[in-house]
Amino acid sequence: MDAEFYMREALALAREAAEAGETPVGAVVVDGKGALLGRGRNRTEELDATCHAETEAIRDAARHLGFWRLDGCSLFVTMEPCPMCAGAVYNARLKAVYYGAPDPRAGACGGLFNLFMEPLDRPVRVYGGILADECRQVLADFFAARRRAHQRVNII
């Protein structure tokens, strides 16, 4: 499986999220044969707090398959999943998560903690650091632009 190819697909969705004013995270779900089944980008500002890129991609893949169990599928996401998204990965029965940028403040795949190191009845493999610099840069650019836009200029 070409992890960088799928991460670039997720990065395109992250950039789309940034253009929409959302935190730039993108995700795709891929089956065991390499077919892209689901796409997602953050939509929390547009919809609600549960509309992270991962949950959007999982929902899209489930719609594509007509079934919620994504056995044998993998998730590629530009930022390490949070606890909610790691739980969704587990519940959707994905076999693996590939992420780009780590999230030391809220990551649930090794950043803050690793849900998948717990004694779960279904293993989920985790691979981090896929195009990490590029994924991190998309986030950094987005937040730098937001900070610049919110700075006030005082002219005396």
Side-chain angles (χ1 to χ4, degrees):
M1 190 170 293
D2 186 354
E4 288 188 6
F5 173 81
Y6 297 113
M7 191 60 72
R8 289 193 195 293
E9 293 290 316
L11 275 162
L13 291 161
R15 290 182 181 100
E16 197 177 292
E19 290 172 17
E22 299 278 357
T23 300
V25 178
V28 296
V29 172
V30 178
D31 73 11
K33 295 179 182 178
L36 204 148
L37 301 178
R39 299 172 187 273
R41 67 168 180 82
N42 273 5
R43 294 179 189 276
T44 56
E45 300 297 329
E46 178 185 341
L47 298 172
D48 66 59
T50 67
C51 294
H52 289 195
E54 300 94 327
T55 58
E56 293 287 299
I58 289 168
R59 285 184 191 113
D60 192 35
R63 276 191 298 272
H64 179 86
L65 292 175
F67 194 57
W68 64 271
R69 291 178 191 239
L70 302 178
D71 294 307
C73 295
S74 297
L75 176 76
F76 292 81
V77 60
T78 57
M79 189 166 95
E80 179 182 353
C82 71
M84 176 185 72
C85 293
V89 163
Y90 175 75
N91 286 319
R93 292 175 164 70
L94 290 162
K95 73 173 185 175
V97 173
Y98 296 79
Y99 69 85
D103 185 359
R105 296 186 321 158
C109 296
L112 180 61
F113 68 95
N114 189 342
L115 174 68
F116 303 117
M117 293 299 293
E118 298 301 317
L120 302 171
D121 64 341
R122 288 183 310 281
V124 176
R125 292 186 300 260
V126 176
Y127 306 93
I130 313 300
L131 299 179
D133 291 338
E134 196 170 339
C135 293
R136 215 179 346 258
Q137 193 62 54
V138 170
L139 288 158
D141 292 347
F142 175 78
F143 287 111
R146 299 259 324 238
R147 283 190 296 277
R148 281 192 304 273
H150 288 90
Q151 286 179 343
R152 293 185 181 192
V153 178
N154 293 323
I155 300 175
I156 299 176

